[in-house]
Structures are given as C-alpha cells and as structure tokens.
Amino acid sequence: MLTRPTLMALLLLVTSTLVQASGNWTNETLDGTLMAITPLYKLQVYQIERANEAVWGKINIPVQADQLPELHKHRKSPNFPFIDVGVEVDKYYRTAQGHIHDDRNLVTVEIDRRHWDGLKKGSQLIISLPDGTQLKESLRGSGAALRTIERR
C-alpha cells in the first residue's frame, strides 16, 4: 500500500510531467514575418506593420479542409469570405472579423491592443469559430514569444 508522502510525490511527478508535455510557445519566421506559434493548435500570432489600438496583430487559425464548407455557410455576405470569430483572453471577449483563406486552409483574425496585452500576461486563449469549433490554448510562456516579436 502506498503511504501518503509516496502518493503525494507520485502525484507531483505526474502533474509536473503533464505541465511539461503541454509545450511552450515558439517563434518562427514564415514568409518573412516573425510569428509566435502556440503549442497545442499551432495558431500563428503576429504583429502587423503599422499597428494601432484597433488592429494590433493577427492570429492565423489552421482549419481542416472539411471545415471550410461549414464556415462558408456563416459568411457575412455570400460575395465575401468574412465570418465572425469569437476571441476571448481571460474573460475579455470580443467578436472579431475572420477572413477565410481557402487556398491555405486558414482563418485570419485581427486582434486589438487589449487582446495583445492579454496574450502576453493572461492564462488562457479561447477561439470560437461559427461552426461550433472551440480552440482553447494555454498562454503559459506566451509573453516571451510575443515580446520577441515586438522587438523586431
């Protein structure tokens, strides 16, 4: 039978292993743009050239090819590939405009300065696509990756 100290040590070991397995945010340069890459869903976060309070950066959300027809059903206008995407950083929720890129299987979302600052200091990012998909990403380690982008 396991004693209480042995059980606590085992629990601590398992917990620390799970935290380390979650991965860290990394930086990559794609198409000449320095991006922060999330560990779980490989979201690409980057700062735009002329950032202002309303649009400070963008998030590229990879989607499956079979998700695209469902996302197209939720377009704001049948003539344009724009959808509403929910972006939440630690209880700060905002509906942002997403742009569907069929050729790259991506949805690009613009984020404001408040979201950007929340990404650096917060604990959780939740992206809600109109087809019901929710992407929950930990923000552990995001501050260093995003500060590297700001210094470019």
Side-chain angles (χ1 to χ4, degrees):
M1 190 87 195
L2 294 174
T3 63
R4 186 177 176 109
T6 307
L7 186 59
M8 293 302 283
L10 183 62
L11 181 64
L12 182 63
L13 179 67
V14 169
T15 305
S16 66
T17 304
L18 288 175
V19 169
Q20 290 176 358
S22 66
N24 290 328
W25 285 51
T26 58
N27 289 98
E28 289 183 23
T29 302
L30 300 171
D31 299 329
T33 304
L34 185 61
M35 298 185 178
I37 311 296
T38 65
L40 190 58
Y41 293 105
K42 305 299 181 203
L43 304 175
Q44 302 165 349
V45 183
Y46 61 98
Q47 190 174 15
I48 63 171
E49 286 290 322
R50 292 191 173 97
N52 58 48
E53 293 294 320
V55 181
W56 195 262
K58 291 187 178 186
I59 301 175
N60 289 342
I61 306 163
V63 294
Q64 303 289 331
D66 57 341
Q67 276 183 280
L68 291 173
E70 185 64 31
L71 290 174
H72 279 290
K73 291 179 186 175
H74 297 279
R75 291 186 298 187
K76 291 180 177 183
S77 167
N79 300 324
F80 300 104
F82 299 111
I83 57 173
D84 286 328
V85 177
V87 179
E88 181 178 349
V89 177
D90 290 344
K91 305 297 180 197
Y92 172 56
Y93 180 84
R94 184 174 76 92
T95 302
Q97 179 171 281
H99 182 230
I100 302 171
H101 300 279
D102 289 323
D103 54 338
R104 299 186 295 164
N105 290 345
L106 282 178
V107 175
T108 303
V109 178
E110 297 175 343
I111 55 174
D112 60 13
R113 173 72 186 261
R114 188 169 170 192
H115 269 131
W116 184 271
D117 290 341
L119 288 174
K120 290 192 293 188
K121 301 173 190 167
S123 61
Q124 187 175 35
L125 165 68
I126 302 172
I127 304 281
S128 303
L129 296 175
D131 67 347
T133 304
Q134 268 202 344
L135 308 173
K136 295 181 181 180
E137 191 74 65
S138 170
L139 296 178
R140 184 181 181 109
S142 63
L146 293 174
R147 280 190 291 276
T148 301
I149 292 172
E150 290 176 335
R151 282 181 282 207
R152 62 165 165 84

